Amino acid sequence: MARRPLPRILSNGSARIARSRELARSAADSATDVLHPLITVTRGLRRLAGAGRRRWAETPKDRRGPLLFLVASVFLVVVLMPYGPLLAAVALMAAAAWQGRDRTSPAPAGPDEAQAQRLASLYEALVPYFSVPEDPAPLYAHGGEWEKAFTSYAFDGDGRVERLTIRYPAYFTDGEARSRARIEQLLHAKSGRGREYRFDWDEEGNLLTLSVLPPLPVDIAAQRFVTSPGETVLGFTDAGGVQRTLPLGFGEEKRDVPPVVWRTGPRSTEPHLLAVGEPGSGTTTLLRSVALQALRHGDVLVVEGGGTGEYAFLTGRAGVLAVESGVPGSLASLEWAAHETERRLAAAHRARQEGRRTPEDVGRPLWILVDRPSVLAHLAAADGRRDPWSLLRTPLRHGRAARVTVVVAEQFDGLESLGDVVTAHTRARVVLGPASPERLAAVLGTHPPTTPTPRMPLGRGYARLGTGPVHRLQVPATPDPYDDATSEVHRRAVLALLPPLTTPADAAVEGASVPDAGAPDTASPDTGSAGAVPLDTAPPQAVPADSAPVAAVLTKPALTPAATTTATGPMAVEAAVTTATGPMAVEAAVTEG
């Protein structure tokens, strides 16, 4: 069938509309130029009338009569004078034109004396780095003209540089990180400390742009982010760094903030994450935030090497397979995770061969969160037990195909103890807290384009996903709700995101009440049930000695025979008892057994 041509109104309508807009804009500009004197006089008459009304309102009532008589006398004299009305009209138009003039002060043509002195000092400081003796016409020379080197500049209200574009010679080695770092450090010191700067290098045009960055918001609390399955919000960054925003709530206020979104799953190029920082930098806060987001669509296994109880609020929650802090229970959980990864791979491969969909238990994401694994490895080596890095090798290598995601948080002092498998497969990197440029480059793979903030708040740092750019990062506030130092607002925000409490089927004890999933957290910690405890007490979860090991882990229904055999040995029973978070829980477990 022959296609009929579109009507002319549809084929060339957009061009006609564009031409009409251009004609209308040109006509408006021409009319404004022609009628500019009339517009000025009209504005002046309006201002004179307003001034007359104000003067009449300010005149006392007892003086308004003499004022009216004086005005009438002047008007009569003007009328009776030869050419009086004409001269009065000319004087009125002149006064209106003077009052109607544009009173906006023109922008300064250049910097003032103090700003020019600051730019000159910056220019002189850059001379040793941007000049060589062999240059016949150097752009940078002592006593030279800074106007040729600085193409644009802007200052803030305090007279400090806010934005600066610098030209540099083509022979400068801008491709070397060390050379660029020297220039950035110099500009940071000379432009004023106490602020964050961003450096954008245009290697093709030989231009360097320095700009002052606004501080990242630190008042973002944990909340339910608008993301799809497989997306995890690591934190929030600058508006120009990412291409999307998320609607967030700040009490009663709502605003959009650009996030750093980490994508996981079979098609992800960065399936695992490594977070590094100093003590108190916020790596544990990041893991808690990731855990709360992962529980929306998957299962979570937490291994806490430090044993500080920062994840106790997750114990007994739906989707939380286990929260391990002891060496036997942690090793047993990691061994189960390795077997579970192998089982998932085998089940997915068998389903593809048979032309079936992937089983539901294989398609559900499994998250393994490991905090301070160097401490766990040291304790395991001291007890003569298996190295935990060998247990993480399988989830790290094959986790993407099996929908298993590994998140490791470590401090700088334990970074060297991480195995090559961890550093090779964790392509998503986060550095929190203060760190030297060398440490940042060692973890992120490159230097960040911004200078560090003078004071690093909790959860503040940098993030890089694979080979992408380095983003400034601020982790949302996700404190431990059982900590006494946690504010009530943050406590309620975290508790609102927790899934309901559950009790493993084989962990129920005769005479122990099983709390309802939607019931309030009023269970007592020494009853042996999996219910929650009041916020001011640590919530240990007692496990009977005769029950299967790692009771929370056994809530996962599908286990291979190998995994079942591994999980039912004496080490697993010891892990189940030792996993409890206090002597009271261990005593309760033995008593119930």
Side-chain angles (χ1 to χ4, degrees):
M1 179 187 295
R3 298 181 59 185
R4 297 179 60 186
L6 293 173
R8 297 183 61 185
I9 187 64
L10 297 179
S11 60
N12 57 0
S14 59
R16 289 184 177 181
I17 293 174
R19 286 196 299 270
S20 301
R21 290 177 178 175
E22 291 294 334
L23 291 175
R25 190 177 295 108
S26 301
D29 294 340
S30 301
T32 302
D33 295 338
V34 172
L35 300 177
H36 181 69
L38 181 60
I39 295 173
T40 303
V41 171
T42 304
R43 187 189 305 122
L45 290 174
R46 186 171 63 252
R47 291 176 179 176
L48 288 175
R53 285 195 302 269
R54 288 193 300 270
R55 180 59 183 272
W56 177 260
E58 294 174 357
T59 303
K61 292 184 179 181
D62 57 345
R63 295 184 182 181
R64 291 182 180 180
L67 181 61
L68 284 176
F69 179 76
L70 177 62
V71 172
S73 301
V74 173
F75 180 76
L76 182 61
V77 172
V78 170
V79 171
L80 295 178
M81 284 180 58
Y83 305 103
L86 180 59
L87 294 176
V90 172
L92 180 62
M93 292 300 103
W98 177 257
Q99 290 293 331
R101 72 187 188 280
D102 189 6
R103 300 181 180 181
T104 57
S105 58
D112 55 20
E113 184 178 356
Q115 295 173 355
Q117 182 65 28
R118 185 180 290 271
L119 292 176
S121 64
L122 278 175
Y123 175 83
E124 292 291 336
L126 292 173
V127 169
Y129 301 94
F130 285 156
S131 63
V132 293
E134 296 82 6
D135 191 352
L139 180 62
Y140 289 83
H142 292 291
E145 300 178 357
W146 60 264
E147 292 86 353
K148 296 181 180 179
F150 300 156
T151 59
S152 64
Y153 46 83
F155 294 86
D156 58 8
D158 298 332
R160 296 193 298 176
V161 176
E162 188 175 26
R163 185 176 180 84
L164 181 65
T165 302
I166 303 172
R167 290 178 54 199
Y168 57 88
Y171 52 77
F172 176 71
T173 55
D174 53 1
E176 298 180 2
R178 182 174 298 179
S179 301
R180 296 166 65 157
R182 286 199 303 266
I183 301 299
E184 293 175 1
Q185 183 179 4
L186 173 66
L187 292 175
H188 181 206
K190 293 295 183 180
S191 299
R193 299 185 182 273
R195 300 181 297 176
E196 290 187 80
Y197 296 92
R198 180 178 180 87
F199 301 95
D200 295 320
W201 292 82
D202 183 6
E203 301 178 5
E204 184 178 1
N206 298 325
L207 293 175
L208 169 60
T209 302
L210 176 147
S211 56
V212 178
L213 295 174
L216 293 178
V218 296
D219 55 346
I220 301 178
Q223 52 191 285
R224 196 171 298 278
F225 304 119
V226 183
T227 55
S228 60
E231 292 183 345
T232 303
V233 176
L234 299 179
F236 300 91
T237 184
D238 302 304
V242 294
Q243 299 180 355
R244 63 183 289 187
T245 58
L246 290 181
L248 300 181
F250 297 82
E252 298 181 356
E253 180 186 358
K254 302 290 184 179
R255 66 174 183 258
D256 294 339
V257 182
V260 177
V261 179
W262 172 40
R263 293 174 177 85
T264 58
R267 294 178 177 85
S268 174
T269 57
E270 303 89 21
H272 309 295
L273 174 70
L274 172 63
V276 186
E278 294 290 350
S281 59
T283 54
T284 303
T285 299
L286 175 62
L287 259 65
R288 282 194 292 258
S289 177
V290 171
L292 293 177
Q293 297 179 64
L295 287 174
R296 296 176 57 186
H297 308 286
D299 299 328
V300 175
L301 172 63
V302 181
V303 176
E304 184 184 5
T308 57
E310 296 286 346
Y311 306 91
F313 67 98
L314 295 173
T315 304
R317 299 286 176 174
V320 180
L321 303 182
V323 178
E324 300 291 348
S325 58
V327 175
S330 299
L331 295 179
S333 298
L334 292 178
E335 187 174 359
W336 173 87
H339 287 293
E340 175 65 10
T341 303
E342 296 173 352
R343 184 194 70 81
R344 285 170 173 247
L345 285 175
H349 182 65
R350 185 161 50 266
R352 295 191 191 98
Q353 286 184 335
E354 298 176 358
R356 297 182 292 104
R357 296 183 59 182
T358 304
E360 184 177 357
D361 59 336
V362 176
R364 183 172 174 83
L366 172 61
W367 292 72
I368 304 174
L369 309 182
V370 185
D371 194 357
R372 298 295 307 279
S374 61
V375 178
L376 179 64
H378 177 75
L379 296 177
D383 292 345
R385 297 181 182 270
R386 190 175 181 180
D387 186 9
W389 304 126
S390 61
L391 301 175
L392 282 174
R393 183 177 293 110
T394 300
L396 286 171
R397 287 182 174 177
H398 309 288
R400 181 174 62 176
R403 294 184 180 272
V404 178
T405 303
V406 180
V407 181
V408 179
E410 187 53 82
Q411 297 180 2
F412 278 110
D413 55 1
L415 192 59
E416 297 180 356
S417 64
L418 296 179
D420 296 337
V421 178
V422 176
T423 56
H425 291 85
T426 52
R427 291 173 49 83
R429 301 291 179 87
V430 173
V431 179
L432 300 179
S436 62
E438 292 75 15
R439 283 184 169 182
L440 290 174
V443 177
L444 301 176
T446 183
H447 290 278
T450 63
T451 58
T453 180
R455 293 187 303 173
M456 302 288 282
L458 181 66
R460 180 71 170 79
Y462 298 95
R464 189 186 187 196
L465 304 179
T467 58
V470 180
H471 301 284
R472 290 200 305 166
L473 183 71
Q474 178 61 53
V475 178
T478 314
D480 181 10
Y482 293 146
D483 190 358
D484 296 337
T486 303
S487 64
E488 189 64 24
V489 175
H490 290 164
R491 186 196 310 273
R492 293 183 180 275
V494 174
L495 292 177
L497 299 177
L498 288 176
L501 285 166
T502 58
T503 302
D506 53 350
V509 184
E510 183 179 357
S513 60
V514 179
D516 187 10
D521 302 343
T522 57
S524 176
D526 55 352
T527 56
S529 64
V533 299
L535 295 178
D536 57 348
T537 59
Q541 181 180 0
V543 182
D546 57 348
S547 62
V550 195
V553 173
L554 285 185
T555 58
K556 191 72 178 177
L559 289 176
T560 58
T564 307
T565 304
T566 305
T568 55
M571 183 180 65
V573 177
E574 180 185 359
V577 179
T578 312
T579 303
T581 58
M584 184 183 300
V586 176
E587 181 181 356
V590 176
T591 304
E592 294 294 340

